[in-house]
Amino acid sequence: MVEHRMVDVNGIRLHIAEEGEGPLVVLLHGFPESWHSWHRQFAPLAAAGFRVVAPDQRGYGRSEHPDDVDAYSILHLVGDVVGLIRALGEEKAYVVGHDWGAPVAWHTALLRPDMVLGVAGLSVPPPFRGPEPPLVAMGRRFGGRFYWNYFNRPGVADAEFAADTRTALRKFICWASGEAPRAVEQPLVDPEVGWLATMPDPGTLPEWFTEDDLDALTESFSGGFTGALNWYRNLDRNWELTAPWDGAVVTPPSLYVYGDRDVVPAFPGTPELIARLPALMPGLRREPLKLAGCGHWTQQERPAEVNAAFIEFLTAVA
């Protein structure tokens, strides 16, 4: 059974879900998600002999939502993982992340390899710092219409998504799923219209995402979207803060999994990076695992394949 509690971590309180006994596996969700995005991973990983813990990360769900935008930098987020591992009575853990959770997992392995037994990322590949701040780069490339730039308009996306939270989340899930009837293209937004206005709403959820799943996700955003969006508002600051690690690579044992219908691996420069990962990543234990027909919600869309890959990876490096 999955159990829930609050823990004090890195100066804030985080809500966590946990199950199982054995080596600790920390599962980090992305946007717009919560701990619940991992609910299909708990039982299989626990049965394989692991202690599985998934927090609502800061700014999400029942965890604290600091008001200060600066409280959502990558150093704060990695600090939460480090603090969580220690609050759970451990010195080391396997760290796994999806979407925004993947950069947190990768950076935890990059900055604190002494605490990471192994690291896995879904959708977002390992971090290789670009030559200029990401918001500047994307703003120039797409004339300010890339969704990261839209999210950085204070209060705008916050209000758009909170006006009808359930519909906003349903649209996001359907639009980014592997079943969506769309080309895999860059997510561009007309800032004068907003994102949801042009995002189709099929009304019918994918088979792998139930109304109960949508209920749980909607409830987790009852406090609004600002905390979650503040992660994006630190993208350029993260680029500045990580300057000391420019050129550094993730060294712990690692795994990367993505879907071929996920928009994130199609971001500019990302396909070329994925192709080079085996040469760039000394700890990569296998070629990047590409799931045919899978969209952005990797562990939810393909739980059997993802769980099998996780268990194979975790037990091999145990």
Side-chain angles (χ1 to χ4, degrees):
M1 293 289 293
V2 177
E3 298 180 349
H4 299 262
R5 61 186 173 106
M6 303 294 292
V7 294
D8 292 313
V9 169
N10 196 23
I12 65 171
R13 287 176 63 76
L14 295 182
H15 161 253
I16 66 168
E18 57 185 332
E19 181 179 359
E21 297 180 356
L24 176 62
V25 180
V26 178
L27 303 176
L28 304 169
H29 66 79
F31 175 89
E33 299 175 276
S34 71
W35 77 269
H36 185 77
S37 69
W38 299 104
H39 72 281
R40 293 179 177 86
Q41 280 66 56
F42 275 84
L45 293 182
F50 296 95
R51 180 187 183 190
V52 186
V53 173
D56 283 332
Q57 298 201 74
R58 67 167 60 203
Y60 284 86
R62 284 180 266 171
S63 292
E64 284 193 44
H65 298 216
D67 292 330
D68 189 352
V69 175
D70 289 346
Y72 295 86
S73 78
I74 193 67
L75 298 186
H76 289 86
L77 303 174
V78 170
D80 290 347
V81 178
V82 170
L84 178 59
I85 292 170
R86 290 187 170 151
L88 295 171
E90 303 290 346
E91 290 298 321
K92 298 175 183 287
Y94 300 95
V95 185
V96 178
H98 167 256
D99 183 75
W100 249 115
V104 179
W106 294 126
H107 278 91
T108 302
L110 181 68
L111 307 185
R112 292 304 306 270
D114 58 308
M115 297 186 68
V116 176
L117 297 168
V119 58
L122 307 181
S123 178
V124 181
F128 288 89
R129 190 171 175 273
E132 61 181 339
L135 291 173
V136 173
M138 290 303 200
R140 181 184 305 111
R141 186 180 186 108
F142 297 109
R145 298 179 65 233
F146 198 69
Y147 78 106
W148 294 352
N149 300 96
Y150 177 65
F151 284 0
N152 271 269
R153 294 164 60 108
V156 176
D158 319 46
E160 182 188 11
F161 301 158
D164 184 345
T165 299
R166 187 181 180 87
T167 297
L169 293 169
R170 183 177 63 245
K171 283 189 170 187
F172 274 123
I173 294 296
C174 294
W175 171 81
S177 73
E179 296 91 336
R182 55 158 176 79
V184 178
E185 55 192 13
Q186 304 302 324
L188 304 182
V189 182
D190 182 341
E192 303 308 318
V193 176
W195 202 356
L196 298 177
T198 59
M199 189 178 288
D201 182 1
T204 301
L205 294 171
E207 288 186 6
W208 50 266
F209 193 82
T210 68
E211 291 292 339
D212 287 343
D213 292 331
L214 182 57
D215 288 342
L217 187 58
T218 301
E219 192 279 330
S220 74
F221 280 95
S222 59
F225 289 81
T226 298
L229 291 168
N230 282 342
W231 290 44
Y232 292 90
R233 293 162 183 160
N234 277 275
L235 281 167
D236 282 2
R237 183 163 176 252
N238 291 342
W239 184 84
E240 296 173 358
L241 291 171
T242 56
W245 293 272
D246 190 22
V249 297
V250 173
T251 56
S254 55
L255 171 72
Y256 174 58
V257 183
Y258 68 108
D260 68 354
R261 287 190 50 75
D262 185 350
V263 297
V264 173
F267 285 178
T270 306
E272 293 79 9
L273 170 61
I274 294 172
R276 296 174 59 218
L277 282 181
L280 293 171
M281 292 277 290
L284 200 66
R285 288 303 180 98
R286 60 176 294 174
E287 293 280 333
L289 176 58
K290 181 165 66 173
L291 302 176
C294 182
H296 181 60
W297 317 108
T298 327
Q299 75 273 22
Q300 298 186 79
E301 294 187 45
R302 296 297 178 81
E305 291 163 276
V306 168
N307 293 342
F310 281 173
I311 292 170
E312 178 186 17
F313 171 69
L314 296 171
T315 54
V317 300

